[in-house]
């Protein structure tokens, strides 16, 4: 093996440069490790990779930045300010939610304006909004502030939180809890759709995710100038500033385990790198199934991984237009005609439905730097079944894209087909082949209660010493706040570098 341990500092290898991996690298660098990030792609960000086509910049994945203090913390660890490298802009409004008959709900941070909007949708329900937000705050105080960066290393940790879970009705689904507050079906949709942003079915994920409403309200909904990719590049720069290294095109084939300890990795090229600790930011199910031979895994056996439920897949069409659509905001949710049964098609039946609900991203609404002058950058995202649904995406993708294009053209982007000058499609196959998501899922394991906290793969490997995991597939879960918090947990479970001196 190439010995990198001959350097004076203990070595931490981080597999993957998603936000979880980048945050972990910075935290480990700050704790005295010589850090090397190994990324198979040619740029940082993972699901937040940026595609650049003919002057258009497309964020591949996350666009809604909440809890910016979690990013700020990483800059502070390096003695800097986030604003030295990246500008965040608060969204006003946060987003618009358009129903299939054209009715639009404007979702914003201002409490009074929200109450009015709720009243406009369903007279008499303004007070229900206040009551819901009070509940969301209570859940946030426990679910995010108290438990969000707590390690869950055993079932006893679950027993410890059971009273809180019961009190906050964590056994209910998000939709179930929201329905206790709102009578109007559309309001129920508006206040329950959030878990879809992190791969959860609102009818199945724990109501703990109702905390998102309060999180957004308290810290705002932001986007980064230059796109979310600017945040990934900013974090990469911090790592390099700490003396760490990010190697792109470094595809890890396996984690080397000796006498029950992770001691390094082997790349697909055959090169071996030694380390004192290994942190995997690759999806947790892929990490265990592919990077670690079965005889080293008692807990996450192939059979158990097979039994897990995986989040939904995503179909994303990135397109640039040679005109601007100025009446479209930065974030628009386009609710289809069906809610519950569409979600059942996607998550349970795993069939590709004729109808869809979409998220439309138009960053040029607030940041013209991501498109040529006078043009618009868009992406439209449709939740679809993951690859367990058996769809033949190589055959179906273009037809599906065209259906979405026609819908957008007929409903909100007139003459769209005549104005498209850049186009790229991502299907669950890309999630499998580019990002190593074993079933092409968008967000790792589905965040249902039985796959959360101690029931999710642990941040500190259950079976292998000196192996740690961060990112969407471990506690607390997907989404930028989730994966950044997983790196906070790492601080609690991984030893300081001095332990190896
Ligand atoms: C389309 C989309 C939209 C989203 N929108 C939002 C949003 O608006 N707001 C929000 O908060 N969240 C959003 N999310 C969720 C959020 O983006 C993810 O949960 C989060 O970015 C995942 O980060 P991660 O740390 O798990 O790493 P990932 O982004 O999954 O990155 C893992 C990295 O590991 C690398 N890797 C894998 N295997 C290997 C290997 N063998 N060797 C080397 N490298 C390897 C991959 O190439 C990848 O770079 C969205 C996700 C998607 C897909």
């Amino acid at each position: 093996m190439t010995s990198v341990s001959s350097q004076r500092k203990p070595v931490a290898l981080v597999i993957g440069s998603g936000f979880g991996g980048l945050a972990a690298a910075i935290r480990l660098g700050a704790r005295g490790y010589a850090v090397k990030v190994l990324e198979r792609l040619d740029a940082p960000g993972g699901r937040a990779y940026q595609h650049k086509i003919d002057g258009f910049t497309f964020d591949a994945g996350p666009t809604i930045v909440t809890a910016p203090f979690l990013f700020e913390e990483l800059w502070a660890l390096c003695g800097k300010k986030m604003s030295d490298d990246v500008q965040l802009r608060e969204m006003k409004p946060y987003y618009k939610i358009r129903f299939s008959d054209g009715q639009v709900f404007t979702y914003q941070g201002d409490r009074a304006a929200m109450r009015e909007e709720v009243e406009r949708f369903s007279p008499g329900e303004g007070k229900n909004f206040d009551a819901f937000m009070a509940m969301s705050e209570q859940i946030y105080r426990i679910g995010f502030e108290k438990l969000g960066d707590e390690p869950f290393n055993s079932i006893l940790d679950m027993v410890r939180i059971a009273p809180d879970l019961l009190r906050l009705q964590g056994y209910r689904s998000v939709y179930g809890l929201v329905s206790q507050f709102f009578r109007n079906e559309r309001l129920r949709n508006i206040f329950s759709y959030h878990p879809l942003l992190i791969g959860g079915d609102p009818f199945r994920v724990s109501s703990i995710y109702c905390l998102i409403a309060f999180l957004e309200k308290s810290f705002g909904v932001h986007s980064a100038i230059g796109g979310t990719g600017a945040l990934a590049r900013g974090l990469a720069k911090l790592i390099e500033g700490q003396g760490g290294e990010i190697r792109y095109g470094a595809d890890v084939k396996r984690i080397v385990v000796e006498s029950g300890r992770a001691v390094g990795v082997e790349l697909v090229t055959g090169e071996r790198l030694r380390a004192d600790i290994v942190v995997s930011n690759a999806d947790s199910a892929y990490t265990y199934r592919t990077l670690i031979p079965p005889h080293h895994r008692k807990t996450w056996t192939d059979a158990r991984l097979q039994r897990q439920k995986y989040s939904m897949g995503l179909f994303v069409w990135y397109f640039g237009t040679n005109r601007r659509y100025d009446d479209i905001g930065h974030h628009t949710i386009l609710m289809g005609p069906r809610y519950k049964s569409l979600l059942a098609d996607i998550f349970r039946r795993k069939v590709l439905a004729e109808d869809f609900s979409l998220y439309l991203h138009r960053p040029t609404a607030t940041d013209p730097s991501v498109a040529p002058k006078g043009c618009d950058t868009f992406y439209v995202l449709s939740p679809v079944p993951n690859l367990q649904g058996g769809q033949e995406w190589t055959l179906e993708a273009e037809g599906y894209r065209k259906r979405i294009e026609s819908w957008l053209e007929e409903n909100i982007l007139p003459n769209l087909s005549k104005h498209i000058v850049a186009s790229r499609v991502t299907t669950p196959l890309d999630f499998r082949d580019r990002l190593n998501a074993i079933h092409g899922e968008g967000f790792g394991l589905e965040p249902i209660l039985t796959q959360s906290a101690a029931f999710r793969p642990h941040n500190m490997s259950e079976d292998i010493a000196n192996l740690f995991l961060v990112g969407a597939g471990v506690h607390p879960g997907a989404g930028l706040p989730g994966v950044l918090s997983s790196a906070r947990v790492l601080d609690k479970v991984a030893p300081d570098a001095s332990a190896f001196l």
Side-chain angles (χ1 to χ4, degrees):
M1 278 199 188
T2 317
S3 178
V4 276
S5 302
S6 56
Q7 297 167 3
R8 273 175 297 116
K9 287 179 170 182
V11 172
L13 290 178
V14 178
I15 304 167
S17 68
F19 277 114
L22 293 169
I26 291 165
R27 289 180 177 280
L28 293 169
R31 295 172 67 205
Y33 285 93
V35 176
K36 190 174 279 201
V37 180
L38 303 166
E39 170 56 60
R40 69 195 296 270
L41 301 178
D42 62 359
R47 281 161 167 84
Y49 187 91
Q50 273 189 336
H51 302 294
K52 303 214 177 210
I53 310 174
D54 298 337
F56 293 91
T57 300
F58 298 101
D59 274 324
T63 59
I64 297 172
V65 179
T66 49
F69 59 88
L70 291 172
F71 282 102
E72 196 66 71
E73 244 176 48
L74 299 171
W75 263 270
L77 278 174
C78 301
K80 295 181 77 183
K81 284 201 186 113
M82 178 160 56
S83 56
D84 295 340
D85 296 310
V86 185
Q87 308 303 319
L88 287 191
R89 183 169 287 176
E90 186 168 0
M91 297 289 101
K92 288 186 178 155
Y94 290 174
Y95 29 78
K96 294 200 171 192
I97 300 169
R98 181 190 184 279
F99 290 87
S100 50
D101 60 2
Q103 191 185 23
V104 174
F105 186 98
T106 302
Y107 198 116
Q108 51 201 308
D110 183 84
R111 198 63 171 257
M114 277 292 278
R115 204 179 298 119
E116 255 177 52
E117 193 67 343
V118 166
E119 280 288 335
R120 189 172 69 81
F121 260 62
S122 182
E125 293 222 58
K127 61 180 183 319
N128 299 344
F129 169 69
D130 288 329
F132 173 70
M133 289 306 288
M135 183 68 174
S136 176
E137 176 172 358
Q138 277 187 50
I139 300 175
Y140 170 86
R141 299 277 172 227
I142 303 287
F144 192 92
E145 287 187 343
K146 201 167 139 194
L147 307 177
D149 58 6
E150 268 305 299
F152 280 88
N153 291 327
S154 81
I155 299 301
L156 286 179
D157 293 323
M158 297 303 281
V159 173
R160 189 168 45 83
I161 64 162
D164 280 335
L165 269 180
L166 281 173
R167 189 167 55 78
L168 298 171
Q169 305 181 40
Y171 49 85
R172 287 190 199 283
S173 69
V174 163
Y175 183 87
L177 190 68
V178 166
S179 299
Q180 291 197 325
F181 289 90
F182 297 103
R183 291 188 306 276
N184 179 283
E185 188 53 33
R186 288 193 170 181
L187 292 178
R188 289 177 175 180
N189 297 359
I190 289 164
F191 291 101
S192 71
Y193 91 90
H194 279 114
L196 286 164
L197 297 177
I198 45 129
D201 174 353
F203 291 88
R204 303 245 317 179
V205 297
S206 160
S207 62
I208 293 298
Y209 286 98
C210 285
L211 67 79
I212 299 174
F214 183 76
L215 178 82
E216 285 186 345
K217 200 228 146 295
S218 303
F219 307 103
V221 166
H222 305 262
S223 75
I225 300 295
T228 310
L231 276 166
R233 286 192 297 278
L235 296 182
K237 195 172 137 194
L238 288 183
I239 294 167
E240 282 155 7
Q242 287 177 313
E245 187 192 342
I246 307 185
R247 260 177 78 176
Y248 298 107
D251 200 348
V252 174
K253 185 176 159 200
R254 72 184 179 100
I255 294 169
V256 181
V257 181
E258 287 173 6
S259 310
R261 297 182 167 272
V263 295
V265 305
E266 182 181 337
L267 304 185
V268 290
T269 54
E271 184 184 358
R272 285 183 166 210
L273 300 169
R274 262 199 112 77
D276 297 283
I277 66 168
V278 176
V279 178
S280 180
N281 174 224
D283 278 10
S284 55
Y286 160 86
T287 297
Y288 281 120
R289 200 186 72 173
T290 312
L291 299 183
I292 298 169
H295 61 275
H296 292 302
R297 296 184 266 125
K298 284 201 187 70
T299 309
W300 293 102
T301 60
D302 288 354
R304 181 164 179 200
L305 290 170
Q306 192 58 33
R307 286 197 303 274
Q308 297 297 296
K309 302 227 173 339
Y310 292 82
S311 60
M312 81 280 201
L314 297 168
F315 179 95
V316 195
W317 176 34
Y318 310 92
F319 58 98
T321 57
N322 60 6
R323 59 158 284 192
R324 287 177 60 86
Y325 288 91
D326 282 319
D327 50 342
I328 305 294
H330 195 125
H331 302 295
T332 312
I333 311 288
L334 301 159
M335 291 282 189
R338 299 185 299 143
Y339 189 56
K340 185 173 185 177
S341 61
L342 177 64
L343 292 170
D345 281 350
I346 296 167
F347 282 89
R348 309 291 143 225
R349 291 192 281 274
K350 295 193 173 20
V351 295
L352 190 61
E354 285 297 312
D355 55 331
F356 31 67
S357 281
L358 305 170
Y359 158 62
L360 184 66
H361 181 224
R362 178 176 172 259
T364 29
T366 56
D367 179 10
S369 77
V370 293
K373 201 167 182 325
C375 297
D376 261 342
T377 288
F378 283 99
Y379 91 44
V380 60
L381 176 157
S382 175
V384 295
N386 64 34
L387 291 174
Q388 291 172 313
Q391 282 73 27
E392 287 278 355
W393 282 108
T394 41
L395 303 176
E396 303 208 39
E398 181 51 15
Y400 197 67
R401 186 200 67 75
K402 277 207 172 114
R403 266 166 48 205
I404 292 176
E405 179 187 303
S406 304
W407 189 92
L408 291 173
E409 185 161 74
E410 279 160 30
N411 291 280
I412 54 169
L413 301 176
N415 301 315
L416 173 62
S417 52
K418 294 196 189 77
H419 292 284
I420 295 163
V421 289
S423 176
R424 178 188 173 112
V425 161
T426 284
T427 75
L429 287 177
D430 299 283
F431 282 86
R432 184 190 66 191
D433 301 336
R434 266 174 68 81
L435 293 162
N436 288 336
I438 63 175
H439 296 299
E441 67 278 10
F443 306 87
L445 299 179
E446 197 182 339
I448 49 179
L449 203 53
T450 50
Q451 297 187 167
S452 295
F455 302 130
R456 219 167 168 75
H458 293 177
N459 306 72
M460 174 171 71
S461 169
E462 294 87 331
D463 294 326
I464 299 166
N466 297 344
L467 174 64
F468 303 91
L469 284 80
V470 291
V474 292
H475 174 68
L480 302 185
V483 304
L484 295 180
S485 296
S486 75
R488 272 177 158 186
V489 180
L490 181 72
D491 269 356
K492 297 186 178 169
V493 294
D496 277 340
S498 56
F500 295 97
L501 291 174

